[in-house]
Amino acid sequence: MGGYNASHLQPFILVGFSDRPGLEVILFAVVLVFYVLALVGNAAIMLVSVLDTRLHTPMYFFLGNLSFLDLCFTTSIVPQLLWNLWGPEKTITYHGCVAQLYIYMVLGSTECVLLAVMSYDRYVAVCRPLHYTVLMHPRLCLQLVTMAWCCGFVNAFVMCPQTVQLSRCGRRRVDHFLCEMPALIAMSCEDTTLVETFAFALGVALLLVPLALVLTSYGAIAVAVLRIKSNAGRKKAFHTCSSHLTVVSLFYGTIIYMYLQPASSYSQDQGKFLTLFYTIVTPSIKPLIYTLRNKDMKGALRRLLGWEKGGGED
């Protein structure tokens, strides 16, 4: 590989939004607010999922894992981004860039699979309610989460070395606010066809296959809901799945648009704002999506804060 040239350990320059100084000030404030929301919201979900025994169910086990992923995901990106937005220094060390790329890919890929696992959990809850506790037993839940993490690590350990070892001919400017795979591939001065092919193949495996499972699960759920005769039953089934379906749409929509296109057609400005959306905005609003319409979660938060002594009345 040509990546190990004389300059391969030099720091990278994260261009980010430096061509729009006025926008940087606004983005600093916006990103900081959303980061605090992400920290507080996801930490709260993790806390109540562990401390409240009423939430010791598969659904909240998966939701706690998702919140942990989002917490790590934003923390691997936002501190460096805030530093770059605040001052003139836009550099990141070579090893810092590689570490950010690995963490970013591990967590992002894991979340793709975990969202599919959560869709299967909702399918069992709606379509097989009488067998739910038997089918979604703790051992299976742990195995499904472990599988999701393994998929994330495999993807990262396949794609990251290929990406960082590409020859860059001394180029150090990353036209992005983080070390992201498409932006690093676009920096290369050699033929990237093989790397792009691998990225596309793994993208299909980790994006489209889980998405197909999600659509299959919700297709079966829709059929089951249409068979429910009572309006109350339909409303309950819809309420069970609506939050997760919203999160799935936000996450997969932006990710698939970004990663299943060749690096040659990758629009840097468009990519920056889309990445900003799904790495910072989406993790911040997920806790709101999952809690605002969830009586169990709202009741658990009230009990944790001492606002409620009784059960889970809304």
Side-chain angles (χ1 to χ4, degrees), residues 24 28-29 109 124-125 219 272 311:
E24 283 191 315
F28 179 87
S109 304
V124 177
K272 289 175 192 177

Side-chain angles (χ1 to χ4, degrees), residues 14-37:
L14 296 174
V15 175
F17 303 95
S18 57
D19 57 334
R20 302 180 179 92
L23 181 61
E24 283 191 315
V25 178
I26 298 171
L27 282 177
F28 179 87
V30 171
V31 169
L32 182 60
V33 169
F34 275 106
Y35 183 48
V36 171
L37 289 174

Side-chain angles (χ1 to χ4, degrees), residues 55 60 235 239 290-303 308 311-314:
L55 301 185
Y60 295 105
K235 186 177 179 180
H239 179 75
Y290 278 116
T291 56
L292 287 179
R293 300 183 62 188
N294 189 312
K295 292 183 180 181
D296 293 333
M297 185 61 72
K298 285 191 288 187
L301 286 170
R302 287 169 183 164
R303 288 190 293 275
E308 179 180 305
E313 290 90 18
D314 195 26

Side-chain angles (χ1 to χ4, degrees), residues 11-21 24 80-93 172-174 176-177:
F12 290 100
I13 300 170
L14 296 174
V15 175
F17 303 95
S18 57
D19 57 334
R20 302 180 179 92
E24 283 191 315
Q80 177 72 45
L81 174 59
L82 290 174
W83 175 264
N84 290 349
L85 289 172
W86 181 253
E89 185 68 33
K90 310 295 182 185
T91 60
I92 183 173
T93 66
R172 299 168 51 213
R173 292 172 60 86
V174 181
H176 214 302
F177 61 82

Side-chain angles (χ1 to χ4, degrees), residues 97-163:
C97 183
V98 172
Q100 188 180 69
L101 178 65
Y102 269 91
I103 294 169
Y104 178 85
M105 292 195 68
V106 168
L107 298 176
S109 304
T110 301
E111 186 159 341
C112 288
V113 181
L114 184 60
L115 288 173
V117 169
M118 294 174 72
S119 298
Y120 174 72
D121 173 67
R122 294 299 82 208
Y123 159 77
V124 177
V126 174
C127 301
R128 306 285 299 277
L130 298 178
H131 302 91
Y132 181 72
T133 54
V134 176
L135 292 174
M136 299 302 296
H137 53 83
R139 184 179 176 185
L140 177 62
C141 293
L142 184 59
Q143 289 172 339
L144 290 172
V145 168
T146 302
M147 176 196 69
W149 278 98
C150 287
C151 289
F153 277 104
V154 168
N155 181 47
F157 281 100
V158 169
M159 285 310 306
C160 289
Q162 295 189 59
T163 302

Side-chain angles (χ1 to χ4, degrees), residues 54 59 64 71 79 87 93 95 115 125 148 156 158 163 172 181 194 201 210 214 235 248 270 281 291 293 299 302:
R54 306 179 200 196
M59 174 182 173
L71 202 61
T93 66
H95 292 105
L115 288 173
V158 169
T163 302
R172 299 168 51 213
M181 187 175 68
L194 184 60
V214 169
K235 186 177 179 180
V248 165
Q270 186 182 58
V281 178
T291 56
R293 300 183 62 188
R302 287 169 183 164

Side-chain angles (χ1 to χ4, degrees), residues 220-298:
I221 288 171
V223 172
V225 169
L226 291 174
R227 290 176 180 170
I228 299 174
K229 295 181 179 180
S230 69
N231 289 331
R234 288 184 180 182
K235 186 177 179 180
K236 182 179 179 181
F238 175 77
H239 179 75
T240 301
C241 304
S242 58
S243 298
H244 182 62
L245 192 55
T246 302
V247 168
V248 165
S249 301
L250 287 171
F251 183 81
Y252 281 108
T254 51
I255 287 259
I256 287 175
Y257 180 80
M258 288 185 60
Y259 286 100
L260 293 187
Q261 60 175 317
S264 56
S265 63
Y266 183 74
S267 170
Q268 294 293 352
D269 285 339
Q270 186 182 58
K272 289 175 192 177
F273 286 103
L274 283 173
T275 304
L276 201 63
F277 179 79
Y278 84 81
T279 58
I280 297 166
V281 178
T282 303
S284 305
I285 63 177
K286 280 180 189 175
L288 295 176
I289 293 171
Y290 278 116
T291 56
L292 287 179
R293 300 183 62 188
N294 189 312
K295 292 183 180 181
D296 293 333
M297 185 61 72
K298 285 191 288 187

